Amino acid sequence: MITRRINVLLLLTGISADSHAILKVLIDIHYRKIREPSPGHVNSVTTTNIWHFRELFRREIAKQHGAEAGRVALASLKEAIKCYAAKLHLNRGSNILKPNRKVNNGYALTFEQVRNFDGRVAEAAKWSDTLGLSDPEKPWMKGLPRTNFVSDMGDAFSYKTDSHFAFLEREVIEPVISPQGQRHLWLWLTKRPKYMEAFARRIGGMPVNVCAMSTVTSTKTLGRVDELRKVDAHCRGLSIEPLWDRIPPEALDLTGIDWVIVGGESGSRESCRPFHVEWAEELREHCRKHGVAFVLKQLGRNVFVKGKPLVLKEPHGGDWNEWPKEHRVREFPRYFHDYRKHELEALLASR
């Protein structure tokens, strides 16, 4: 997909180039230099390798077609790799140009390779209970149980196999429904709600303290909302972050949806797509009309208000003290407030 985009842009500049073939040759040359390739050193054109070979690729294109072609190719490559989780893996995982580089703890060898880590959800289940507590810096979370994000840096539903689902039952569901895990609320995010629906069916429905969620970034991925509705869960949410383009409110069916999180794109200013606050305002009003909790998580790096850029100090646009007051909305579903409600009432009465 990335190399196809580069080829299209090069063709628009009047240059014929097979980006995939050029990258494959570069990767072959360096892969053969590694004496003992690890599982993280893959001899193929992957997102990880494309990123690590970006400068060599630019030089090769420039050598064959000129400096401007090299610049176009590099700019296209940088623009195509948007996923923040991917970028973190690209900088912390394996690199065949640096075969001895150690992979950071908690990261897969490469972004394309799913790596299971035992015990991480069980450890999170032990974290302290926040019921009834307040944080002056996060007033929107006052009194709520702790909320833990599952799959914020990857997708646990990358596979639909018995062995993988068994792993998720053992490593996610068991800790979540344990006495310690039941103190918390768990937000489980996926880009593959079809697989989540199959998994929920397998286990007899998601636990009561799990909010099943899916990512939507534009009208192109709205089909995931219909798929998420089929997940047997007590609470469902949408992560519309980053929002890459306007989603007309009439196109977003909120039936069976309890929560909508919206945000702009973070990263370098030159690579972030524009985020128009009016897009979020429309969705906020749409949520209010249908009784759905709404969160404006961040404005991102490249934010516009009424067509004019809004310059913020915080690079992700996540400090709501910098925002216009009407945009400071962070709500949680009624379900979250009702979960452990009686415990909270008893706790407050005893104080």
Side-chain angles (χ1 to χ4, degrees):
M1 181 66 181
I2 297 173
T3 52
R4 189 182 309 130
R5 178 176 174 79
I6 295 169
N7 283 339
V8 168
L9 283 175
L10 289 173
L11 286 169
L12 288 174
T13 62
I15 295 165
S16 176
D18 186 343
S19 300
H20 190 280
I22 293 172
L23 281 163
K24 187 66 174 73
V25 169
L26 291 171
I27 292 166
D28 282 344
I29 291 170
H30 286 271
Y31 185 82
R32 287 196 295 267
K33 292 179 181 179
I34 304 173
R35 291 183 180 180
E36 296 181 10
S38 78
H41 301 143
V42 181
N43 187 18
S44 61
V45 181
T46 62
T47 297
T48 296
N49 284 340
I50 289 173
W51 180 252
H52 291 153
F53 280 83
R54 63 191 183 279
E55 184 55 32
L56 292 178
F57 175 65
R58 181 198 66 77
R59 291 180 195 170
E60 190 62 31
I61 291 289
K63 184 166 58 176
Q64 295 184 26
H65 304 285
E68 178 60 16
R71 187 197 66 76
V72 169
L74 182 60
S76 175
L77 188 154
K78 288 182 176 179
E79 183 182 343
I81 300 178
K82 292 291 188 182
C83 176
Y84 75 95
K87 289 182 177 179
L88 287 172
H89 275 82
L90 298 175
N91 293 321
R92 291 167 173 78
S94 290
N95 181 344
I96 66 175
L97 288 173
K98 300 175 182 178
N100 296 322
R101 186 172 81 171
K102 292 184 179 179
V103 176
N104 287 34
N105 289 336
Y107 285 83
L109 296 174
T110 68
F111 183 62
E112 298 79 20
Q113 296 171 281
V114 174
R115 184 178 181 184
N116 292 334
F117 290 94
D118 294 351
R120 297 187 75 179
V121 177
E123 189 62 34
K126 298 175 185 177
W127 292 345
S128 61
D129 190 2
T130 64
L131 187 71
L133 301 181
S134 61
D135 183 345
E137 295 185 4
K138 298 179 180 179
W140 52 87
M141 298 189 71
K142 184 177 180 180
L144 284 172
R146 182 183 292 278
T147 54
N148 299 324
F149 231 131
V150 182
S151 292
D152 60 327
M153 289 297 297
D155 197 333
F157 292 102
S158 296
Y159 293 121
K160 183 187 175 184
T161 63
D162 285 341
S163 61
H164 185 62
F165 278 8
F167 171 84
L168 295 180
E169 284 187 70
R170 183 182 75 249
E171 291 295 326
V172 179
I173 297 301
E174 288 183 15
V176 162
I177 65 175
S178 70
Q180 289 181 315
Q182 288 181 41
R183 299 173 303 155
H184 313 313
L185 289 160
W186 302 82
L187 320 179
W188 201 343
L189 183 65
T190 181
K191 292 181 180 179
R192 301 170 177 85
K194 274 188 176 180
Y195 290 3
M196 179 181 274
E197 188 272 332
F199 177 74
R201 223 178 326 114
R202 171 187 171 116
I203 64 173
M206 287 293 193
V208 295
N209 55 336
V210 169
C211 179
M213 304 184 69
S214 190
T215 302
V216 174
T217 54
S218 69
T219 53
K220 294 178 181 179
T221 49
L222 279 177
R224 294 174 184 168
V225 184
D226 291 329
E227 294 170 359
L228 180 66
R229 260 188 282 275
K230 298 176 184 177
V231 177
D232 186 358
H234 295 263
C235 187
R236 302 181 191 86
L238 301 176
S239 176
I240 307 181
E241 183 205 4
L243 179 55
W244 291 341
D245 201 355
R246 176 177 179 259
I247 296 179
E250 61 273 15
L252 180 61
D253 181 359
L254 292 175
T255 304
I257 304 300
D258 304 277
W259 199 20
V260 169
I261 301 173
V262 174
E265 191 167 41
S266 57
S268 61
R269 188 175 296 278
E270 62 272 12
S271 68
C272 286
R273 276 160 282 204
F275 174 72
H276 293 269
V277 171
E278 290 78 14
W279 298 344
E281 291 175 345
E282 285 184 314
L283 294 177
R284 180 194 65 203
E285 296 309 307
H286 186 52
C287 286
R288 285 176 176 170
K289 179 180 178 181
H290 294 275
V292 175
F294 177 86
V295 167
L296 184 53
K297 183 180 176 183
Q298 64 181 41
L299 300 184
R301 172 79 77 166
N302 193 12
V303 56
F304 288 80
V305 177
K306 296 180 180 178
K308 296 181 180 180
L310 179 64
V311 180
L312 304 172
K313 293 179 182 178
E314 208 282 323
H316 297 289
D319 182 0
W320 80 345
N321 292 311
E322 296 188 78
W323 305 355
K325 287 187 178 180
E326 63 269 24
H327 301 140
R328 301 176 192 177
V329 180
R330 286 177 177 165
E331 303 166 338
F332 284 85
R334 182 73 258 162
Y335 188 85
F336 283 29
H337 292 280
D338 289 343
Y339 186 74
R340 300 183 66 192
K341 178 181 177 180
H342 298 303
E343 290 180 66
L344 177 60
E345 290 173 348
L347 181 64
L348 295 176
S350 66
R351 290 178 178 174

